[in-house]
């Protein structure tokens, strides 16, 4: 009996998901909880905890929010959000040390300081990288999230 009630509550919550015009396909559909800045970026930059402390400079009293991604619940339908996956996966593999999975091998190393160096790869798919960053910028610009209010594309 309790299991049935839980299932009914889940079905009800799913049916109440916000609907609207998808920012990409321009069709009225259910929105999903779409990430604006993906966890792949946080994972590569903040490897120890995979989180970043968000500081709101206008209200330093609330400066200890911890983020592992930024989301918006009113941007994309599931199909459109999934269409970004190949570019996100490529970036994630490249930046998180899975270059071998992409068929890339490092041909040299650039050293910037005594404790910071990077591998240099040939054959990186520049189109996929550009698409990843353009999608990221576009998502930020169309999001209604307070964190991105100053990002505008004209």
């Amino acid at each position: 009996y309790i299991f049935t009630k839980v299932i009914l509550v889940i079905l009800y919550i799913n049916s109440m998901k916000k609907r609207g015009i998808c920012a990409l396909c321009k069709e009225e559909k259910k929105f999903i909880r779409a990430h604006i800045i993906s966890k792949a970026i946080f994972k590569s930059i903040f490897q120890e905890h995979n989180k970043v402390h968000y500081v709101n400079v206008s209200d330093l009293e609330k400066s200890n929010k911890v983020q592992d991604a930024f989301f918006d619940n009113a941007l994309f339908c599931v199909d459109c959000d999934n269409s970004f996956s190949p570019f996100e996966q490529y970036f994630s593999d490249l930046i998180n040390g899975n270059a071998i999975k992409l068929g890339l091998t490092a041909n040299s190393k650039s050293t910037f300081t005594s404790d910071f160096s990077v591998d240099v790869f040939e054959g990186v798919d520049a189109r996929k990288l550009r698409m990843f960053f353009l999608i990221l910028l576009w998502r930020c610009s169309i999001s209604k999230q307070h964190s991105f209010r100053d990002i505008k594309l004209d």
Side-chain angles (χ1 to χ4, degrees):
Y1 176 74
I2 292 175
F3 180 72
T4 304
K5 277 191 163 186
V6 169
I7 296 296
L8 289 174
V9 168
I10 291 170
L11 291 173
Y12 175 75
I13 290 170
N14 284 339
S15 71
M16 297 304 293
K17 284 185 179 177
K18 187 175 179 181
R19 293 183 65 87
I21 304 298
C22 174
L24 185 60
C25 70
K26 305 297 184 195
E27 294 179 22
E28 184 178 339
K29 295 184 178 179
K30 283 185 183 177
F31 287 129
I32 63 161
R33 185 173 183 244
H35 64 266
I36 306 304
I37 299 178
S38 79
K39 290 183 180 186
I41 293 175
F42 289 103
K43 182 180 177 185
S44 63
I45 297 171
F46 306 100
Q47 291 187 12
E48 186 176 331
H49 302 290
N50 293 341
K51 295 185 186 286
V52 62
H53 289 275
Y54 176 82
V55 178
N56 183 346
V57 293
S58 64
D59 188 1
L60 294 178
E61 296 293 318
K62 298 178 183 177
S63 64
N64 203 16
K65 296 178 184 176
V66 178
Q67 298 282 337
D68 65 354
F70 287 90
F71 294 93
D72 195 315
N73 295 326
L75 287 182
F76 304 114
C77 66
V78 68
D79 294 330
C80 289
D81 191 60
N82 287 342
S83 71
F84 305 132
S85 293
F87 308 108
E88 294 167 343
Q89 188 62 52
Y90 187 83
F91 176 81
S92 178
D93 287 340
L94 189 62
I95 199 164
N96 290 314
N98 296 323
I100 293 171
K101 178 180 171 183
L102 300 173
L104 302 173
T105 55
N107 65 356
S108 66
K109 187 176 279 293
S110 290
T111 303
F112 296 97
T113 64
S114 61
D115 61 344
F116 181 71
S117 64
V118 296
D119 292 325
V120 179
F121 296 93
E122 282 189 27
V124 172
D125 190 334
R127 180 187 153 288
K128 284 184 180 176
L129 281 180
R130 279 193 302 272
M131 285 299 295
F132 171 79
F133 287 111
L134 288 172
I135 290 166
L136 176 65
L137 180 60
W138 179 62
R139 281 180 166 168
C140 291
S141 75
I142 63 172
S143 175
K144 302 295 185 229
Q145 294 295 323
H146 183 73
S147 303
F148 306 109
R149 70 184 179 280
D150 294 328
I151 300 175
K152 305 285 185 236
L153 297 177
D154 294 323

